[in-house]
Amino acid sequence: MRKRQRIGAKRLAALALAALVSAAIPAGALAAERAPMPLAPEEASEPSGETLRPFGQTRGSRGVTASNAWLEQARIGGLMLSLRLFTPEGDAVTFEENLRPVASNAPEMDLELRASKWNGGLILELDQHALDVLARVGVVRIVVADMDYAVRASYEVEELAAIRTLFALGEKELLCVGAEDIPVTVVSEDGVRRQLTQ
């Protein structure tokens, strides 16, 4: 857990530096339509070595339900959340979801997403409401795996909230994060994408 926290602190420090650099660049220079973000093949993320246990029929935990259907947007406790997966080319990716306690008898949970495809890396997109709901029900980490349940990425909910605060994002603006070599971007309510980091 400490290792994950150190990694999160390093990423936040890098984002803080990027925020200072971005402040010096005219906003128009970073704005673009909600368009694909090409990812070079050599930058494709590799499995972390961690593997999720297969999802069962019952996908909820601690009284909170998750869907057992293939989804384009997360559904937690019957509530649709603006939390989605996309390829770097901008195509929506369906996924299965599962809630699992981080440890036996722990109140905290992981939201596990099993993507239907893995095209060299996926982008997680979510708004403030989705983060608020996840925090309220006790989700502390979002884990993204491929079809073989191999973990490809994980995101601390607390770190995602800190990034939103750092860049002063609006409630309905969509934070878009991927592997560490993929720039952090945000999509405004009117569909314009801004790049927040290099």
Side-chain angles (χ1 to χ4, degrees):
M1 184 66 147
R2 276 192 194 146
K3 184 176 180 186
R4 277 195 306 221
Q5 289 172 342
R6 281 196 303 267
I7 291 169
K10 285 180 184 177
R11 188 163 189 188
L12 283 177
L15 288 171
L17 179 61
L20 291 173
V21 171
S22 298
I25 300 172
L30 295 178
E33 292 180 20
R34 185 173 180 167
M37 293 178 32
L39 180 66
E42 64 271 19
E43 295 175 340
S45 59
E46 296 295 323
S48 69
E50 182 183 352
T51 303
L52 299 179
R53 292 194 316 269
F55 298 171
Q57 244 342 86
T58 304
R59 305 286 177 88
S61 181
R62 308 285 185 248
V64 183
T65 60
S67 175
N68 59 4
W70 285 94
L71 305 167
E72 284 193 358
Q73 123 180 45
R75 185 167 60 213
I76 304 296
L79 180 66
M80 297 301 284
L81 301 181
S82 186
L83 187 157
R84 298 173 178 88
L85 293 176
F86 290 92
T87 66
E89 294 76 33
D91 299 321
V93 174
T94 57
F95 57 88
E96 290 184 293
E97 61 182 15
N98 187 41
L99 290 169
R100 195 182 314 266
V102 297
S104 287
N105 301 317
E108 299 88 7
M109 297 179 285
D110 285 342
L111 171 59
E112 301 172 337
L113 306 177
R114 179 183 177 221
S116 61
K117 60 183 172 182
W118 192 267
N119 285 13
L122 293 181
I123 297 167
L124 174 72
E125 177 184 279
L126 71 170
D127 67 4
Q128 184 63 52
H129 177 67
L131 268 180
D132 291 343
V133 170
L134 294 179
R136 188 168 58 244
V137 300
V139 171
V140 294
R141 188 171 68 140
I142 302 167
V143 181
V144 183
D146 60 24
M147 282 295 289
D148 297 321
Y149 294 98
V151 173
R152 296 297 191 122
S154 67
Y155 307 94
E156 302 287 334
V157 168
E158 189 175 86
E159 181 182 337
L160 294 172
I163 293 169
R164 291 189 67 89
T165 300
L166 177 66
F167 289 104
L169 300 187
E171 187 171 324
K172 293 188 177 178
E173 287 187 298
L174 300 165
L175 175 65
C176 306
V177 294
E180 290 195 17
D181 50 5
I182 296 177
V184 175
T185 61
V186 61
V187 177
S188 67
E189 289 185 61
D190 56 2
V192 176
R193 183 184 297 277
R194 301 189 316 274
Q195 187 170 316
L196 300 179
T197 64
Q198 298 300 319

